[in-house]
Amino acid sequence: MTTAILLDDPTAAIDKLKELQPGWDSYGAETIGPSERENAKGFVTRVLRTLGPDYLHMKVGPTADGGVALIWRGRDALKVEAFFSPAGNRYLVFSRKGLVDRGPLTGTEFLKQYLAP
Amino acid sequence: MADLPPYKPGQEVTEGLIYRRIPNRGTYYDYDLEMVDVSAFILRPRDRGSLSALLNREEARASLKIPVHKGFGLCVLDVAKMKAETSGQARVEFAPTPGAFGASHVSILGCQDEEVRVILALIAEIDVEPERPVA
């Protein structure tokens, strides 16, 4: 099974998600929609343009609701995640202690805020 | 054959461990940190806040042997801890289903909120680590 790993070309990994069949997670997951894939790819392009290639070190994967997840890891096991789903686009930040931040995905500022060296 | 759980359908499960499969994907399980990720608890809209899991560890482990589950792992959640950590928002109901591995099926209710899903990810432990993804 091919799957999400750290990739230099996240857009290729996002495109590959269209190959998933219904129920790919063993719990009846939806196939990954074209809008969600395009939104995720558009965001990756925006990240490259506004923050640079250092921010392209992310994991790419599907979500059960037919969406795309992009995941970055910050310092001290901080997780910074962006979701592109039929219900909308959002980001989520959490640490081992719990939820740190979340909100609608309107730009790339949250990545800079939580991942900047 | 595994013992039947001592619950009636619809009855709340208040203690013990439950098991949920996780795909072998880097967005579901962080192989370096050995942590389950939030993606493992994302719902479909039609799920109405409810996720599936199994009470019986042997059944859960046996379910991994199905070819389509090849490489999948199992995470385990402590029911009482889940309820306490989510202030009662997440709770477990016995909901057996027909077919293979359905005799100990439970529903984890109250998972609509992202903060609840973060808590589930943080308290989840690994019973069977998913195989490393193939690039």
Side-chain angles (χ1 to χ4, degrees):
Chain A
M1 173 184 289
T2 56
T3 189
I5 53 170
L6 286 171
L7 290 169
D8 292 328
D9 183 4
T11 58
I14 294 167
D15 277 334
K16 198 163 178 52
L17 298 178
K18 70 183 174 192
E19 297 172 5
L20 291 170
Q21 300 298 309
W24 52 265
D25 71 341
S26 83
Y27 291 112
E30 311 282 359
T31 55
I32 312 307
S35 299
E36 289 68 35
R37 282 186 273 117
E38 288 307 312
N39 286 340
K41 287 196 293 184
F43 185 75
V44 168
T45 302
R46 193 169 173 182
V47 169
L48 179 61
R49 195 176 65 241
T50 59
L51 300 176
D54 287 350
Y55 286 79
L56 292 186
H57 295 285
M58 68 187 80
K59 294 177 184 175
V60 175
T63 56
D65 59 358
V68 177
L70 305 179
I71 301 181
W72 294 258
R73 195 196 302 161
R75 289 181 298 273
D76 302 323
L78 192 74
K79 290 292 192 78
V80 181
E81 311 199 347
F83 296 101
F84 304 85
S85 78
N89 305 334
R90 66 195 190 280
Y91 74 91
L92 175 69
V93 182
F94 65 97
S95 71
R96 287 189 188 273
K97 293 180 180 173
L99 183 65
V100 174
D101 191 10
R102 63 175 164 175
L105 205 147
T106 55
T108 59
E109 295 78 15
F110 72 100
L111 290 175
K112 197 170 181 181
Q113 181 181 350
Y114 292 106
L115 297 174
Chain B
M1 185 173 171
D3 293 336
L4 289 174
Y7 299 102
K8 294 176 182 171
Q11 184 178 350
E12 184 176 2
V13 177
T14 55
E15 60 182 12
L17 303 175
I18 57 173
Y19 301 83
R20 180 168 165 84
R21 290 185 296 277
I22 45 176
N24 54 329
R25 293 180 173 275
T27 51
Y28 274 70
Y29 180 66
D30 190 316
Y31 292 84
D32 298 323
L33 298 176
E34 298 181 341
M35 286 175 64
V36 179
D37 210 290
V38 172
S39 287
F41 302 104
I42 288 180
L43 308 141
R44 302 168 301 175
R46 62 184 139 133
D47 292 324
R48 297 181 179 180
S50 165
L51 290 166
S52 289
L54 295 175
L55 269 173
N56 187 285
R57 186 187 192 195
E58 284 69 40
E59 280 189 357
R61 286 187 162 209
S63 76
L64 298 181
K65 293 184 168 55
I66 296 176
V68 293
H69 300 165
K70 179 173 168 46
F72 282 28
L74 270 188
C75 69
V76 54
L77 292 158
D78 182 306
V79 174
K81 185 176 183 181
M82 178 197 310
K83 194 167 179 180
E85 295 282 334
T86 63
S87 303
Q89 274 187 271
R91 61 189 181 85
V92 176
E93 193 173 278
F94 184 55
T97 58
F101 314 118
S104 76
H105 180 266
V106 295
S107 295
I108 310 171
L109 307 173
C111 302
Q112 299 95 328
D113 188 84
E114 198 117 64
E115 187 162 10
V116 168
R117 297 198 289 266
V118 168
I119 292 168
L120 296 187
L122 292 175
I123 67 171
E125 296 185 5
I126 282 295
D127 186 54
V128 178
E129 184 173 68
E131 289 179 11
R132 289 220 172 232
V134 178

